[in-house]
Amino acid sequence: MSETGDREDRTESPTSKRLADARKRGDVPRSRELANVAVLGSSVIGLMVLGPRVAGSAMGWMRGALAFDPALVDHQDRLLPHAMVLLASLVLPLLPLVGIALAACFISPAIMSGLRFSGQALQPNFSRLNPAAGLARMYSREGRVELLRSLLRVVLVGAVGYWVIRRAMLSMPTLQYMSVEAAVTQGLGFMLKSLAAMVGSMVLLAAVDVPYQRWSWAEKLKMTKQEVRDEHKESEGNPQVKGKLRNMARQLAQRQMMEAVPTADVIITNPTHFAVALKYEAGKMRAPKLVASGAGEIALKIREIGNAHRVTMVESPPLARALYRHAKLNQEIPVQLYAAVAQILSYVFQLRRWHPAQGRMPVPPSVTVDPALDDGQAPR
């Protein structure tokens, strides 16, 4: 696919994940023009502030370097230490300027994308050694923009340099009539003015380059509709896989629920549509707990397991429906159903203690349920 066609397909704004991945790789907007302005501009300001001190140190160094030292005569072994001392005295006054220039290197990254460190950006990328890829970059949109930016840089800086030098040519012949101190001061002033003028011209380039680099970076990270869908699937999970996981979780929950049915004290049925199993341990539970609940085939399975394990079953359609809709699995039943369930459990416990010799078998109670808890409808 061509570059133009590929850009036409990328119509979607980059997602937050794509932006985060790009920053993690060290792929952030960069502006070479802003970096040049920051370093050169900071250095010029540093020279303006520290210029007199640096000039004084330079004059002192020059006097010391050109002064005759009788102690060095016929002592060649002292020449190297003397040269090292001269070099140190020359470098030390320049260290603040070097520190300012190094600190200015962080200005452009901080403005463009914030200070970030990426180890991936330090890893070698051998794909850049591919000549075909290099030619493609040269004739790409970025290559054409870089060529235009270079031409503008040459034109602007060249024009400003020509203007500054032309003005300086008028005053330069007078330097030969000045003292060394005055000539050095005049020369430093000329140099600072030239650098400041060049920085001013580069500010114009940076003012255009910074928004363009931000826009170009965002355009490069744009996504196709398919990429957005794929990323959504990757982050949210494949719907088919999620469906299988939900089905497996549901089957596991049902299996655990069916394993709890034999421990129930009573199964209350609709009798055909609903079945709920309750368990109550006096002294350990504040209220009966729902250990199994189901409708349709699940209700039938609960009744089958209950019959196999001789769990007492009581038909109470309103209570069964209310418990199915309002009680939660493995939790205590709602307070509104305490009285009705208490009647059922009282009957179950009486039935357990009953013996034919005692006479008539206990009769299941006829419980009532608040109509607000029972709509009387069968499950769909």
Side-chain angles (χ1 to χ4, degrees), residues 72-321:
L72 299 177
V73 178
D74 297 331
H75 294 282
Q76 290 83 359
D77 56 325
R78 299 180 182 179
L79 291 177
L80 182 59
H82 180 70
M84 297 300 295
V85 171
L86 289 176
L87 180 61
S89 61
L90 177 63
V91 171
L92 287 176
L94 298 177
L95 288 181
L97 292 176
V98 176
I100 292 173
L102 290 176
C105 295
F106 296 96
I107 295 177
S108 177
I111 294 176
M112 294 296 294
S113 59
L115 295 177
R116 302 173 185 273
F117 177 80
S118 174
Q120 296 184 16
L122 300 178
Q123 298 177 0
N125 186 0
F126 296 103
S127 63
R128 291 185 172 273
L129 300 179
N130 186 352
L135 289 174
R137 286 194 299 270
M138 289 176 60
Y139 292 99
S140 65
R141 182 185 66 187
E142 288 76 11
R144 295 191 295 270
V145 171
E146 179 62 28
L147 176 61
L148 178 61
R149 188 165 53 239
S150 300
L151 292 175
L152 287 175
R153 188 185 306 118
V154 170
V155 170
L156 282 175
V157 176
V160 170
Y162 173 77
W163 174 75
V164 171
I165 292 175
R166 185 175 180 181
R167 292 191 59 186
M169 291 295 292
L170 300 176
S171 59
M172 286 183 66
T174 61
L175 296 178
Q176 58 182 328
Y177 304 108
M178 299 180 182
S179 62
V180 176
E181 291 82 357
V184 170
T185 303
Q186 188 77 8
L188 286 175
F190 165 70
M191 182 183 67
L192 289 176
K193 290 179 181 178
S194 302
L195 291 175
M198 284 190 291
V199 171
S201 64
M202 295 172 65
V203 167
L204 297 176
L205 284 175
V208 177
D209 188 58
V210 168
Y212 169 77
Q213 292 298 337
R214 292 183 183 276
W215 173 83
S216 178
W217 179 73
E219 285 291 310
K220 184 178 64 175
L221 293 180
K222 275 191 172 181
M223 308 171 67
T224 63
K225 296 182 182 296
Q226 184 60 41
E227 288 176 336
V228 173
R229 287 193 290 267
D230 292 343
E231 183 177 298
H232 180 73
K233 287 182 180 180
E234 182 180 349
S235 59
E236 298 295 331
N238 191 303
Q240 295 180 350
V241 175
K242 292 176 66 177
K244 290 182 179 179
L245 292 176
R246 285 195 298 268
N247 188 35
M248 292 174 59
R250 185 165 50 249
Q251 291 178 358
L252 177 62
Q254 289 180 2
R255 183 166 63 250
Q256 293 175 344
M257 184 177 67
M258 295 304 175
E259 291 174 354
V261 170
T263 66
D265 293 311
V266 64
I267 297 175
I268 304 175
T269 64
N270 191 32
T272 56
H273 296 303
F274 299 100
V276 292
L278 301 178
K279 180 179 180 62
Y280 179 68
E281 296 181 16
K284 295 183 179 180
M285 298 181 182
R286 296 184 305 172
K289 183 174 68 173
L290 182 74
V291 296
S293 174
E297 294 182 0
I298 298 178
L300 178 61
K301 185 68 174 177
I302 291 175
R303 291 196 296 271
E304 290 178 356
I305 296 175
N307 285 326
H309 291 82
R310 303 172 67 92
V311 179
T312 304
M313 296 192 188
V314 178
E315 292 186 10
S316 180
L319 182 57
R321 290 192 295 264

